[in-house]
Structure formats: structure tokens, C-alpha cells
Amino acid sequence: MLKISIKTKSVPITKGDAWLVKIEKAAFGWEYLGEHTEHLEWDEDYEERSTTYEHYDNLLVERTTIEKGTRRKSKITSYHDFARVSPYSYNAVFHVFEMLSGIFSTIRRWAVMIVGFIAVLGVVGLVLSMLTNNPMDDILYPLGILLLVYVFGIVVPSFVIAEVGRLLRNKLEIDKKAENILRENNYNPKWREMFKK
């Protein structure tokens, strides 16, 4: 008898990208469970140096003070949670596209953070150019190129890979085969129902 389990996956939520992660995961058969937040706290050692200069007649004295201590740091991260029966598919092509989807998803999350930072710089640049009556072409052109590279180099390929995954899932009847494997091994073939609210 084959051992069946429910595999879960948590993906960090990045503003402006979470909707696309849901589309990608659904295309590869993952059920959306919701989201959760993790609060991580840790102590971090620090060292601060301060230098003072004092004059004594013709002599300059440099005094360096080193302060050491520990600071409490914390970080809150939100995640989208997904689940899927495992094993789900034995098709190598399906898994290659799922792996590509994961790679593009990771790159896209980093790109969203970088693009967001550059967009803030662009807005500051636009405001400064308006205040100084300079033409905005020097700022708008690079921002437009960056946006086009992001959309056509990262977002569109993510959609294409997700769509290929969805088509493979349908054409290869992966859901039906997974249900048959569950049935043959005396498990409930309607595994998705346990996640419905």
C-alpha cells in the first residue's frame, strides 16, 4: 500500500505579487488554505564606536569609546498557505514546469521589492523635476524601460508557465489519476473537500 500524505507549502506574501502566486499554485493543483503570520524575535549583538578629540595646549588627543550590547530585534512575515495531496503526479514534464514556476515566483518577489524601491525613487525624482522645472524625460524613460522588462521578462512568463501547468494538468488528467491512486490505496479520493470552508 502506497503511503499518501498532504503536503503543505507556505509562500511569503509580497505586496503586488500575492494574487499571481495564487494563480500559479492553483494551476499546479495546490489548494489555497489562507494565510498566517509569523513573528520572529532574536537578540543581536552590536558595537558602537564614538571618537572625541580634545586639545591640551599643542597636543590633540583622540579618544575612542566602544560601547557593546545586545538589541532585541523582531520581524513579522505573512505567508499564503497551500496544500496538495502527495504523491500528486509522476509526470516529469509537469514537475519541470512546476519547478520553473517556483523559480520565476521567487525572482518575481525579489523584483517586486526592487521595482517598488525604484518606483519610490522615481516619484521623488518626478517631484524634484517638477519643482526645478526640468524635463521629466530623464526619469520617465528609464522607469518605463524597467517596467516593460519587469512585465515582459517576469510577469508574462509567469502567466505562460502557469497556463502550461494548467493545460498539462487537464490534458494528462493529473487530478483524475491522483484520485485513482487514492482510491486504490483506500484513501478518500475527494481530498480537496477537506479544505473547503
Side-chain angles (χ1 to χ4, degrees), residues 62-86:
E62 177 182 315
R63 185 172 296 157
T64 302
T65 307
I66 301 172
E67 181 184 332
K68 293 183 177 184
T70 304
R71 286 190 184 114
R72 190 81 177 148
K73 293 230 168 184
S74 66
K75 178 181 177 185
I76 296 175
T77 307
S78 296
Y79 295 88
H80 279 308
D81 298 319
F82 300 90
R84 184 173 75 183
V85 69
S86 179

Side-chain angles (χ1 to χ4, degrees), residues 4-60:
I4 307 289
S5 63
I6 298 293
K7 186 176 180 182
T8 59
K9 190 174 276 194
S10 295
V11 180
I13 297 174
T14 305
K15 290 191 188 306
D17 184 63
W19 62 276
L20 191 47
V21 170
K22 289 182 184 178
I23 290 171
E24 287 174 321
K25 291 296 177 204
F28 289 97
W30 292 88
E31 281 293 316
Y32 180 66
L33 302 178
E35 59 184 73
H36 79 277
T37 302
E38 292 180 7
H39 184 214
L40 181 65
E41 289 189 18
W42 69 96
D43 290 328
E44 187 173 274
D45 294 335
Y46 72 91
E47 181 178 292
E48 290 180 357
R49 293 172 180 263
S50 60
T51 305
T52 57
Y53 299 94
E54 296 175 10
H55 290 278
Y56 295 101
D57 295 327
N58 290 335
L59 188 64
L60 178 65

Side-chain angles (χ1 to χ4, degrees), residues 21-30 84 88 94 101 159 161-170:
V21 170
K22 289 182 184 178
I23 290 171
E24 287 174 321
K25 291 296 177 204
F28 289 97
W30 292 88
R84 184 173 75 183
Y88 179 65
F94 179 79
S101 176
F159 271 118
I161 292 168
E163 184 60 19
V164 169
R166 190 187 66 74
L167 290 172
L168 284 171
R169 221 174 101 218
N170 292 338

Side-chain angles (χ1 to χ4, degrees), residues 63-130:
R63 185 172 296 157
T64 302
T65 307
I66 301 172
E67 181 184 332
K68 293 183 177 184
T70 304
R71 286 190 184 114
R72 190 81 177 148
K73 293 230 168 184
S74 66
K75 178 181 177 185
I76 296 175
T77 307
S78 296
Y79 295 88
H80 279 308
D81 298 319
F82 300 90
R84 184 173 75 183
V85 69
S86 179
Y88 179 65
S89 171
Y90 294 106
N91 187 286
V93 175
F94 179 79
H95 285 292
V96 165
F97 275 95
E98 187 172 19
M99 183 183 71
L100 281 173
S101 176
I103 290 168
F104 268 90
S105 186
T106 302
I107 291 170
R108 200 179 57 249
R109 280 194 301 280
W110 281 100
V112 164
M113 288 187 274
I114 293 168
V115 166
F117 176 72
I118 292 172
V120 168
L121 291 178
V123 169
V124 170
L126 284 172
V127 169
L128 289 175
S129 69
M130 284 189 240

